[in-house]
Amino acid sequence: MAQFAAIDAAGLRGKVVLVDIWTYTCINWLRTLPYVRAVGAKYKDQGLVVIGVHSPELHSRRTSITSAWLRRI
């Protein structure tokens, strides 16, 4: 299952980083998710770090998500 942690450049030094940019409604992301998870699990002990970045396609989704984050901080 997903683990969430603070990310900083020092913690990533010397590691291979896979950045997966996605949105909930993207069928291509849904199709690749099992493969990204499998690669992440397989190579985790060898220094691979998978970072998922949610990037909503629609302006209305960006606004609502940004508002939700601002309310949390």
Side-chain angles (χ1 to χ4, degrees):
M1 191 44 87
Q3 296 177 354
F4 302 98
I7 301 169
D8 65 356
L12 298 174
R13 193 172 316 267
K15 298 182 179 184
V16 175
V17 179
L18 169 64
V19 179
D20 186 27
I21 301 171
W22 54 275
T23 187
Y24 288 116
T25 57
C26 178
I27 190 66
N28 293 321
W29 169 71
L30 290 171
R31 289 179 178 155
T32 62
L33 182 60
Y35 300 101
V36 172
R37 285 184 172 171
V39 167
K42 182 175 181 177
Y43 295 104
K44 178 182 177 182
D45 294 335
Q46 296 177 29
L48 176 66
V49 176
V50 178
I51 298 174
V53 178
H54 179 244
S55 178
E57 292 180 87
L58 304 174
H59 178 71
S60 60
R61 297 285 294 162
R62 288 186 199 131
T63 304
S64 64
I65 290 169
T66 302
S67 297
W69 275 103
L70 289 175
R71 284 192 300 270
R72 287 182 170 211
I73 56 175

